[in-house]
Amino acid sequence: MFDKILIANRGEIALRILRACKELGIATVAVHSTADADAMHVRLADESVCVGPPPSKDSYLNVPALLAACEITGADAVHPGYGFLSENARFAEILADHNLHFIGPKADHIRLMGDKIEAKKTARKLGIPVVPGSDGAVAPDQDAMAIAKSIGFPVLVKAAAGGGGRGMKVAHTEADLALALSTAANEAKAAFGDASVYLEKYLQKPRHIEIQVLGDGRGGAIHLGERDCSLQRRHQKVWEEGPSPAIDAASRAKIGSTVAKAMQQLKYLGVGTVEFLYEDGEFYFIEMNTRIQVEHPVTEMITGLDLVLEQIRIAAGGDLPLTQDEVTITGHSIECRVNAENPVTFRPSPGKILQYHPPGGLGVRIDSAVYQGYVIPPYYDSLVGKLIVHGKTRAECLMRLRRALDEMVVEGIETTLPLFRALVREPAIIDGDYHIHWLEQYLAGQ
Ligand code: ADP
């Protein structure tokens, strides 16, 4: 096992990792920018190192400063959390070159899945169903229109290096294609330094269903069921739940075992998520995330497993905590990402939290790093915290969520709490009858 882990992240996920380390008896090193000197993860860690000024590129993404922090403190492993350097294959290699463990998958797998075109090819090879589309990037000399026509309109133009929904444009008809191609390529170039784009069939009313996996890196891999993340705004997840209201036990077992077998073939190491769109009973692979995800608590609540703790154990050479047959899904869980944003315009609302009262009671969990008097800095994401609720049934879970949302107090800044209070009372949400465009349509009608 590791002796000391450096947590190369901030906010709630840094705290989440710290908690797992404490339970495992592993010493912790927090890193922080000058803007985060008062942050909770800094206060609770055994040691802390300032790695630079507020902008992420100068601090949380500053690899030389992170290496120096490892050296000064004697950390033997780095947990990257999500975002920042978590899916940076080069970072994983640099750590290895310095005899430091990267708590995550093998660098080759990060690289493979980070290239969406290669990821899709690999998925297809491994027997995972994919969205119909161009087989690779659309080359300048290729006839994009012919490819689009063979897929059938509407088509989606996507960035090969994509992430966070950037570099994605829909062409509803032939007349839209040229503009969608150039806009997506420009956006991709600006965001990722890579203008290559590919085409996919644009699904009209799919759900976003993702399968959580756990692999030991030696050919052992299991799946932990699905999360339904269909409630999105600008391709960003807002509300996640599991099990999906749209999936029955038979289709869960089928897609789950397909994914688990693929991970066994890959000899995948650690936690990962294979994301699908699901429409008319069919699954279509869109991408794989090779890290712990924001919404991982949903799976923890229904499986009883501590995913971050298992991730650390496995990275240290440990075995899978249980066999596929031993995985049980109990009850239902929903996570709401409460952001520091205006609930109508979604404009970020950083600033000082004057009053903070997190909800409690049976089946209620808050993963957050804020406290009364904390100032949310303007430099990073706007997550105030994740409210995660569990119940024996989906109906009980909704009942608890309604109560917990009403109880939660965050004053001094604007938050998206009012949006969730409205959503949890919406008939379509109560019925579980929604798809990936539902939330935007709902917001447009408000
Ligand atoms: P990113 O890496 O930028 O997050 P993804 O490929 O994961 O991109 O897609 C993000 C979201 O975009 C999906 O959850 C879904 O809402 C939407 N999306 C992606 N591909 C399609 C598609 N072929 N048809 C319709 N919507 C899609």
Side-chain angles (χ1 to χ4, degrees), residues 113-156:
M113 295 302 172
D115 180 328
K116 301 189 117 187
I117 292 171
E118 284 308 311
K120 231 177 130 176
K121 281 188 190 155
T122 308
R124 197 184 289 122
K125 246 188 271 166
L126 293 169
I128 295 176
V130 301
V131 193
S134 58
D135 279 331
V138 182
D141 59 343
Q142 266 183 316
D143 185 353
M145 183 59 81
I147 302 173
K149 278 186 184 162
S150 73
I151 299 168
F153 282 90
V155 298
L156 186 61

Side-chain angles (χ1 to χ4, degrees), residues 191-225:
F192 314 110
D194 175 0
S196 43
V197 293
Y198 61 106
L199 300 182
E200 250 176 26
K201 182 169 186 57
Y202 181 67
L203 300 169
Q204 310 269 350
K205 286 188 169 182
R207 299 183 79 111
H208 173 116
I209 308 275
E210 54 185 41
I211 308 287
Q212 175 71 54
V213 295
L214 201 54
D216 64 9
R218 300 182 289 270
I222 55 173
H223 78 88
L224 300 172

Side-chain angles (χ1 to χ4, degrees), residues 346-413:
F346 296 94
R347 242 187 44 177
S349 174
K352 188 168 184 169
I353 297 180
L354 300 176
Q355 287 288 330
Y356 179 61
H357 175 77
L362 186 61
V364 176
R365 163 176 172 184
I366 292 272
D367 277 19
S368 171
V370 309
Y371 51 86
Q372 197 152 309
Y374 176 71
V375 179
I376 296 188
Y379 311 103
Y380 314 107
D381 67 31
S382 55
L383 189 65
V384 174
K386 306 182 301 201
L387 168 60
I388 308 123
V389 171
H390 183 259
K392 285 194 293 296
T393 58
R394 188 167 187 270
E396 186 179 84
C397 190
L398 284 167
M399 191 174 82
R400 283 195 179 139
L401 179 58
R402 218 167 283 140
R403 186 267 293 168
L405 284 164
D406 288 347
E407 204 176 300
M408 186 164 178
V409 178
V410 184
E411 279 172 15
I413 54 166

